[in-house]
Amino acid sequence: MEAIILAGGLGTRLRTVVSDVPKPMAPIGSRPFLELLLDFWIDEGVRRFILAVGYKQELVVAHFGFSYRGIPIDYSVEIEPKGTGGALFLALEKISNDNLFFVINGDTFFPIDSSSALIFHQNNKSKFTIILKEMPSNERYGTVRLRKDFRIEQFCLSGEGVPPYLINGGVYIANPLFLKEQREKFEEKSPISMESFLFPKWIENGESIFGFQDSGKFIDIGIPEDYKKFQGWFDLSRSNKSLKEGL
């Protein structure tokens, strides 16, 4: 299994507390956040990473090189900001085969049940599955509305939508052939956002986009208050099992 990690964002919200490294390299104790993210996904069975980098990418490359814990790492480098969708399309060139792969936001920690998510994706013949997390309110994040068959019906802005408040958890399962088709249609629009352009466009076009709900603890380190919470919550000795049960 391969995974693309979107790690090229500017991290403007986090600069009040972390200003000298790119957001995914923000320190958690003595280790960069991205290292902890790789640890989790290696334990989930990922055997090759493509890091989609941009801002201060040389710091990421210098730290990881081309392997981590024996797992190969390749890099997709944005010369100019392309947005999350543009970064994904660029990194798609590095995927080695036509098998399913994960796409993971480099600034969120969401320890999902990846085996169940993959089974869900395959059983529903989904072209792109968004892993969702239920939240107590809709104040901070946009929400997602599902049909009864778990297809995504609508994306709502923060403050909109009705319970249950399901948010995009920043973890996705992707079909490379579908994404290659979408790249041919839309890559010239770069910079392009997955969240505000591609996802709504796919729903508008009737694509088979599904939402899989997971109960793992969701942390967005791009928000300073959550970054500080994560510092206190994360215990480096914890296993994937305990992470899935909640930090």
Side-chain angles (χ1 to χ4, degrees):
M1 179 68 70
E2 295 179 301
I4 292 173
I5 297 186
L6 301 175
L10 295 177
T12 52
R13 293 176 301 175
L14 197 59
R15 286 187 186 173
T16 56
V17 290
V18 178
S19 60
D20 57 342
V21 295
K23 181 167 49 174
M25 297 296 287
I28 306 295
S30 62
R31 303 174 67 193
F33 173 77
L34 186 53
E35 201 173 281
L36 307 181
L37 199 59
L38 294 182
D39 280 344
F40 176 79
W41 286 100
I42 289 171
D43 291 347
E44 287 295 293
V46 171
R47 290 298 172 260
R48 182 171 177 266
F49 291 101
I50 297 98
L51 301 186
V53 294
Y55 175 69
K56 294 190 175 182
Q57 52 85 18
E58 67 279 1
L59 297 179
V60 181
V61 178
H63 182 84
F64 289 101
F66 293 91
S67 70
Y68 175 71
R69 285 177 52 188
I71 302 299
I73 294 176
D74 202 346
Y75 296 90
S76 172
V77 181
E78 297 175 65
I79 304 303
E80 297 179 353
K82 291 181 172 291
T84 49
L88 175 58
F89 287 156
L90 183 65
L92 191 58
E93 295 287 351
K94 301 285 187 175
I95 291 292
S96 65
N97 54 52
D98 290 334
N99 295 332
L100 300 176
F101 65 92
F102 285 102
V103 180
I104 303 157
N105 285 357
D107 60 356
T108 56
F109 193 89
F110 190 17
I112 70 165
D113 182 344
S114 62
S115 296
S116 295
L118 285 165
I119 291 170
F120 172 92
H121 179 94
Q122 293 168 317
N123 286 347
N124 286 285
K125 296 180 173 58
S126 177
K127 293 181 178 179
F128 195 91
T129 296
I130 301 175
I131 314 301
L132 307 174
K133 168 69 177 178
E134 184 172 351
M135 302 294 272
S137 76
N138 61 351
E139 294 178 2
R140 179 180 288 183
Y141 301 101
T143 58
V144 175
R145 288 179 57 188
L146 295 179
R147 294 182 357 186
K148 290 183 179 180
D149 64 358
F150 303 106
R151 282 180 184 248
I152 293 179
E153 180 178 57
Q154 185 180 4
F155 293 91
C156 304
L157 298 175
S158 59
E160 298 180 355
V162 296
Y165 298 123
L166 300 175
I167 69 164
N168 171 2
V171 178
Y172 316 96
I173 302 172
N175 289 37
L177 295 179
F178 169 69
L179 285 184
K180 288 174 183 176
E181 292 173 356
Q182 300 304 304
R183 182 177 60 191
E184 290 177 3
K185 291 181 181 179
F186 298 121
E187 68 176 339
E188 291 184 359
K189 295 182 179 293
S190 185
I192 184 171
S193 167
M194 281 199 301
E195 299 83 357
S196 63
F197 179 82
L198 285 180
F199 294 167
K201 183 64 69 174
W202 291 346
I203 300 306
E204 177 185 324
N205 292 344
E207 303 289 359
S208 298
I209 310 301
F210 282 77
F212 174 81
Q213 187 174 343
D214 196 283
S215 60
K217 186 76 174 182
F218 173 82
I219 303 290
D220 176 1
I221 69 155
I223 298 171
E225 53 265 41
D226 279 4
Y227 170 65
K228 292 175 182 177
K229 287 179 183 177
F230 192 74
Q231 294 276 10
W233 285 340
F234 198 90
D235 178 343
L236 298 182
S237 68
R238 290 184 177 182
S239 65
N240 275 4
K241 180 177 182 297
S242 61
L243 284 168
K244 287 175 181 176
E245 291 171 350
L247 290 169

